[in-house]
Amino acid sequence: MTRVVVVDDHELFRAGVRSQLEGLVEIVADAATVDEAVGKIDVEQPDVVLLDVHMPGGGGVEVIKRTESDTRFLALSVSDAAEDVIAVIRAGARGYVTKTISAEELADAIERVKEGDAVFSPRLAGFVLDAFAGAAPAKPDGDPDLDQLTPREREVLQHLARGYMYKEIARRLDISTKTVEAHASAVLRKLQLSSRHEISRWAAERKLL
Amino acid sequence: MGEAMATTSASALRRDPTRRILGGVCAGIAERVDVDPLVIRVAFIAAAMAGGLGFVVYAVAWILMPAGAGEAAPRGGGPGSVEVALGVALLALSLLLAFRSLGIWFSDAIVWPLVLVAAGGALLWRQSTRQERAPRKERAATVSRTGLGVALVIAAGLVFLQATSSLTAARDVVLAVLVVVIVLGVIFAPWILRLVRSLSAERAERIRSQERAEMAAHLHDSVLQTLALVQRADDPKQVSALARRQERELRAWLSGRTDKAEGRLASALEDAAAEVEEAHRVEVDVVAVGDRELDERSDALVAAAREAMVNAAKFGGGSAVSVYAETQDGKTHVFVRDRGPGFDPAGVPEDRRGIRESIVGRMERHDGRASVTSSSDGTEVELMLG
């Protein structure tokens, strides 16, 4: 079973996740602070860390930065402020889901992250589309430009924002599920590696609105 | 002057720019007292003949009476407003001089101060009737206008005193008062300063405690109420509906969206989603990319999207409804999707007007379009507005 560490400063929430995911994944440890989380992750070497965005002492971003082991992170937060979401993704999280997600969907997202795929909630897809909105579309076959989305990637993201699952997107666009996953991962990588400071500026502006 | 003040104090009195000859003052007054504008116009012309009073009253009324519907926001003053004001002033002056030389005149001692008081008073009144919190760059203009108004009114007083040759007496009084004020000022300056400081500190403290009280009141009205309801609710669906409604409200309140994004498409869609969610107890998620101002056409788009959400909530088998709105290069697409059992759009009976009228028909009337695709995986309504 997939080994998971839950990091959240609310005990009630950790307990809730534990009981909800009972039987779906194996929760090997939980942590309430950044220091505790970094220690337990490096000891337990879990497949996936469920990570709260907001925590005292630097939050999820700090945990990702300080963890040395090669584990994958899924951000889980009540915050839907673009700035927080983009920050934790750019720090290296493989995806972002909100705390209102159902247990089955969460377990599914954890499996996906374990495989190295990206997990986009519709809201995250919307944020990414917004962040790359100003850029011209990249050529589908040319150099992969980190500051732009290819038309296909845009299409995949738009479907994600419309609430479609990967396999539904694959059927609608007449491509394989693997290809949809590849597009999603490519978008996530662009979001993480793009040098566009527009992304952070855009996020900051959104916060002001 | 008195007449003008009396008319402006009536709050519903508005100029009517749609039926205007000059500024719409007569039309506005006629509208209010329900007579033909011609009657009021004749009365004004008669008053103008009788010593020019009509001009003064008209000018003051023009400045003081807010414009009714039909004129695009006259406040703020465009680049030409100074020229216009100067022109009107010169015109009034020349008319007054003409009347003076014609002999239709009270006396210099009355008319000139009256004109100055009218102009200064008009400036001051206009300032005070403006929006309370003007933008920063407008504030300098406000100060200078207020200063000009005060100067004009004081000048009027001086001119009147001069003309009635009581200025020397007034000067002695003013001097005596001035000396007393300075002496008292020097004596009481430290107390006054301390009083002002403590007043401003008190004010800051009062604002802080007001904010605290407001926040407490808000939390009490919203979050605590909802928590109380949640504890008494048995139905998990009802609990989650309550929680989601509260979450939405709190988020909107925290981000201050309620008073900032008003009149924008994204917030209108979110409001519609919240209503549908509450009425039908089905989760409705809105993701918006880009935004646009609300106008007649995007209002129609929101109404059509709302109808689509209602349909999705009713016939979607209780599945969550996804709403995605994208505005780019002036084009807006809205997708409303459910995961219900689906239906055959062609098989909808003629008398069911929901989709045909409220969605497709409405969009087409506003130069947009709408399409419905449905399969066993769910139904998606796509709305497009150029």
Side-chain angles (χ1 to χ4, degrees), chain A residues 89-111:
Chain A
I89 295 289
R90 275 174 77 86
R94 297 295 304 167
Y96 167 83
V97 291
T98 49
K99 280 185 176 173
T100 47
I101 192 173
S102 73
E104 292 75 29
E105 282 176 309
L106 181 57
D108 192 49
I110 290 171
E111 293 302 327

Side-chain angles (χ1 to χ4, degrees), chain A:
Chain A
M1 222 192 289
T2 311
R3 301 176 72 249
V4 177
V5 168
V6 180
V7 180
D8 197 298
D9 56 332
H10 294 101
E11 199 194 328
L12 218 66
F13 184 77
R14 290 200 307 274
V17 169
R18 208 178 249 283
S19 71
Q20 273 203 322
L21 292 181
E22 191 85 70
L24 296 170
V25 301
E26 182 193 356
I27 295 179
V28 291
D30 54 30
T33 65
V34 172
D35 293 332
E36 197 187 347
V38 172
K40 287 196 174 161
I41 292 165
D42 285 340
V43 171
E44 294 288 344
Q45 304 277 334
D47 299 312
V48 176
V49 177
L50 270 185
L51 193 59
D52 188 16
V53 173
H54 282 291
M55 272 191 306
V61 173
E62 193 65 22
V63 176
I64 298 176
K65 277 186 187 151
R66 282 174 42 193
T67 305
E68 280 165 18
S69 68
D70 187 25
T71 183
R72 294 192 166 113
F73 294 92
L74 175 60
L76 180 65
S77 173
V78 289
S79 166
D80 56 8
E83 201 178 47
D84 300 333
V85 177
I86 301 287
V88 73
I89 295 289
R90 275 174 77 86
R94 297 295 304 167
Y96 167 83
V97 291
T98 49
K99 280 185 176 173
T100 47
I101 192 173
S102 73
E104 292 75 29
E105 282 176 309
L106 181 57
D108 192 49
I110 290 171
E111 293 302 327
R112 198 175 291 279
V113 166
K114 182 189 171 192
E115 300 300 320
D117 288 332
V119 171
F120 282 87
S121 62
R123 195 166 291 279
L124 176 58
F127 285 159
V128 178
L129 283 168
D130 228 350
F132 283 96
K139 290 192 188 77
D141 49 349
D143 255 358
D145 188 333
L146 290 175
D147 289 350
Q148 296 166 338
L149 300 178
T150 66
R152 201 49 141 184
E153 285 163 358
R154 278 189 61 82
E155 229 169 347
V156 169
L157 275 181
Q158 279 164 339
H159 277 88
L160 284 167
R162 280 154 68 179
Y164 284 94
M165 310 281 208
Y166 282 12
K167 60 175 190 295
E168 292 169 329
I169 298 171
R171 202 161 41 206
R172 285 178 67 94
L173 299 183
D174 208 11
I175 51 182
S176 73
T177 311
K178 273 273 159 256
T179 314
V180 177
E181 282 168 359
H183 282 308
S185 294
V187 171
L188 192 76
R189 201 171 54 92
K190 284 183 181 182
L191 193 62
Q192 286 168 344
L193 298 181
S194 169
S195 60
R196 276 162 52 105
H197 49 269
E198 278 93 339
I199 289 178
S200 37
R201 203 181 60 206
W202 162 86
E205 276 170 5
R206 280 289 292 230
K207 178 100 178 187
L208 289 177
L209 279 175

Side-chain angles (χ1 to χ4, degrees), chain A residues 78 80 100 122-123 126 129-130 133 154 158 161-165 168 171-172 208-209, chain B residues 244 247 251 255 260 286-290 322-324 326 328 335 337 339 373 377 380:
Chain A
V78 289
D80 56 8
T100 47
R123 195 166 291 279
L129 283 168
D130 228 350
R154 278 189 61 82
Q158 279 164 339
R162 280 154 68 179
Y164 284 94
M165 310 281 208
E168 292 169 329
R171 202 161 41 206
R172 285 178 67 94
L208 289 177
L209 279 175
Chain B
R244 281 185 58 82
E247 182 192 338
R251 274 190 204 288
S255 65
K260 275 186 186 166
V286 179
V287 174
V289 172
S322 302
V323 179
Y324 174 60
E326 186 181 74
Q328 215 171 13
F335 299 88
R337 194 177 117 79
R339 296 173 168 282
T373 44
D377 288 338
E380 187 168 51

